[in-house]
């Protein structure tokens, strides 16, 4: 049980560093409330599970080819740049109510595409989950491996709920002016990530 709890904590720790998804989730919670922010995080989580499966099945070698890496860096650049600009343009239109006018499916796919198009996610899961696989496979059987993988996923789900709750709480506590500033910062941080992705794609081409 202690080992399982340790893997849940590992999942929480893996999700915690601020990245494009966390920035977008914070913005989504501020603008549209808990449910939309949770769906965005759920989309990103789905992409994480897909990458965990690719690492488990050994398909990741295909994703490590220069062509696929440059394609993903470029795709990530366009996705984050678009989301960042959209966030900045929508920062002055925050409405302080609890109506979810946006499509839940759009929020889900926004998080999914943002995470699946991020080459850092591949490297991240290859490094972290790959080492977890190696360690668990050498000490335990397949049953334990599935259980501990589920522990990591459970940690990611908990973080998704925490982020959605925090961001939707900000919406209720802060003034419209402060929410607009946070939304602008979120948008600029997404554009910053996009420029980094674009630079990485350019390095592969040169």
């Amino acid at each position: 049980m202690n080992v399982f709890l340790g893997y849940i904590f590992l999942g929480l720790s893996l999700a915690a560093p601020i990245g494009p998804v966390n920035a977008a989730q914070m913005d989504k919670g501020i603008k549209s409330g808990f449910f939309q922010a949770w769906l965005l995080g759920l989309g990103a989580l789905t992409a994480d599970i897909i990458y965990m499966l690719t690492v488990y099945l050994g398909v990741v070698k295909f994703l490590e080819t220069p062509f696929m890496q440059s394609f993903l860096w470029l795709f990530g650049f366009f996705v984050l740049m678009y989301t960042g600009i959209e966030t900045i343009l929508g920062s002055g239109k925050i409405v302080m109510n609890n109506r979810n006018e946006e499509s839940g499916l759009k929020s889900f796919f926004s998080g999914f595409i943002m995470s699946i198009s991020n080459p850092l996610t591949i490297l991240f899961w290859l490094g972290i989950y790959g080492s977890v696989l190696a360690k668990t496979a050498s000490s335990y059987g397949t049953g334990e491996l599935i259980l501990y993988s589920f522990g990591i996923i459970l940690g990611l789900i908990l973080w998704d709920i925490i982020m959605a709750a925090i961001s939707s709480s900000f919406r209720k506590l802060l003034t419209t002016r402060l929410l607009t500033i946070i939304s602008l910062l979120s948008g600029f941080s997404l554009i910053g990530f996009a420029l980094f992705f674009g630079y990485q794609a350019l390095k592969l081409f040169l």
Side-chain angles (χ1 to χ4, degrees), residues 14-90:
L14 296 178
I18 291 297
V21 173
N22 280 350
Q25 199 175 9
M26 184 65 75
D27 180 67
K28 183 67 72 179
I30 285 167
K31 284 182 181 171
S32 309
F34 175 85
F35 187 64
Q36 296 290 345
W38 176 72
L39 280 174
L40 188 141
L42 197 64
L45 173 68
T46 306
D48 285 338
I49 292 169
I50 288 170
Y51 278 131
M52 284 174 79
L53 282 170
T54 60
V55 173
Y56 180 77
L57 298 170
V59 185
V60 82
K61 295 222 180 315
F62 168 69
L63 297 171
E64 285 183 300
T65 60
F67 170 76
M68 276 307 293
Q69 283 207 350
S70 56
F71 171 76
L72 284 168
W73 281 121
L74 268 178
F75 189 54
F77 165 77
F78 287 117
V79 168
L80 291 175
M81 185 61 75
Y82 171 79
T83 310
I85 291 168
E86 191 181 49
T87 300
I88 289 166
L89 292 176

Side-chain angles (χ1 to χ4, degrees), residues 5 7 32 35 80 84 94 140 197:
L5 288 171
Y7 278 100
S32 309
F35 187 64
L80 291 175
I94 297 171
Y140 305 100
F197 279 32

Side-chain angles (χ1 to χ4, degrees), residues 22 42 51-52 62 66 69 84 111 114 116 131 153 167 173 188 192 202:
N22 280 350
L42 197 64
Y51 278 131
M52 284 174 79
F62 168 69
Q69 283 207 350
M114 203 177 291
I116 204 88
S131 61
I153 293 166
S167 59
L173 295 171
F188 282 118
L202 199 63

